[in-house]
Amino acid sequence: MTISEVSVTERMFTFDHEQVVFCQDAATGLKSIIAIHNTTLGPAVGGTRMWAYANENEALTDVLRLSRGMTYKNALAGLNIGGGKAVIIGDARTQKSEALMRRFGKFVDGLGGKYITAEDVGISTKDMELVKMETDSVVGLPEYYGGGGDPSPVTAYGVFMGIKASVKELTGSDSLTGKKVLVQGVGHVGEYLVEHLTKEGAEVTIADIYEDRVKAVTSRYGVKAVSTEDVYKQKMDIYSPCALGATVNDDTLSQLTCSVICGAANNQLKDEKIHGALVREKGIIYAPDYLVNAGGIINCFWEMKGYNRQAALAQAEGIYNTALNIFKKSSEENIPTYLAANKLAEARIEAIGKINSKL
């Protein structure tokens, strides 16, 4: 049986999703899916991604994985919010419009606060302004709109802390001087990460599907660039995927020569169980993506509380110690790092769920 032959409810059952909403509007061309995974810790919070998916099945797979990842990410970061995510099917560069974003906002509003959206791949803070016109269930707004602005700097800082912790686990020192790092994807988060890495003395190589981004970042930071087809052939100490997920798979693991995998992309392991174990067998330190890329949601959480950029950065800095704790648990229990992180997140959700059941 192929994945397309499995019903939506069966796929929801696999990862225990609470709700999946399919949205369409012919007038604006909107085709969207909103997935709410778990609201034990609070309303589901997670960004909206706009991507030219090949088909609806591919979009559904992505939103189910992403929303589950948000539950674990929010729990592990110590935030009192649950996990959700949305995807809009379409090319963000050519198909986005004010009407489309506002219609999406109406669908979000129809969920009555159970899902709070923000920006993700293909979506900007300006887009969130349009969504805000139709619903209060939105974060990731520009500073002049009362929000926290672009969360990318905080996300990138958290990934940077994750890289330093990974190198610390590997070598006993978190210095990145001379370390060869390949950053795959240099959008907002990727570029900020490149800035941190180059300032730290790392030797950075980048790759991106958009040539204009490659030219801008190589010019600004003096880094090298390779084609996206040649990424996995490069000699590197650290592989940092900062675009789409599932780049750690059978094919890439047979080519990668890195000692550390740590990046901003969601769902980097194509199959958690299979590739999480393979990464460990190859002696590669994998910093779980939903741990190290939590800076963005931390930024949004502080926006919900009353925005404080320094507080958001300070909490993102804590990713360093959490990563070291996960590496320690992985070693002590002889389990992959993704599983160690999952256990910590699940333990918090279960504990808080018991408290809430007694209120």
Side-chain angles (χ1 to χ4, degrees), residues 42-44 108-116 135 137:
V108 172
D109 196 60
L111 292 169
K114 190 175 182 181
Y115 169 64
I116 299 172
T135 182
S137 297

Side-chain angles (χ1 to χ4, degrees), residues 274-317:
I274 295 173
H275 301 113
L278 282 175
V279 165
R280 180 171 172 77
E281 288 174 13
K282 286 176 67 70
I284 299 173
I285 292 178
Y286 167 63
D289 46 43
Y290 73 80
L291 161 69
V292 301
N293 67 15
I297 197 64
I298 289 171
N299 197 71
C300 289
F301 181 72
W302 277 99
E303 186 175 323
M304 293 166 66
K305 292 182 65 174
Y307 192 66
N308 184 318
R309 175 55 66 95
Q310 290 307 310
L313 285 169
Q315 191 163 359
E317 189 170 348

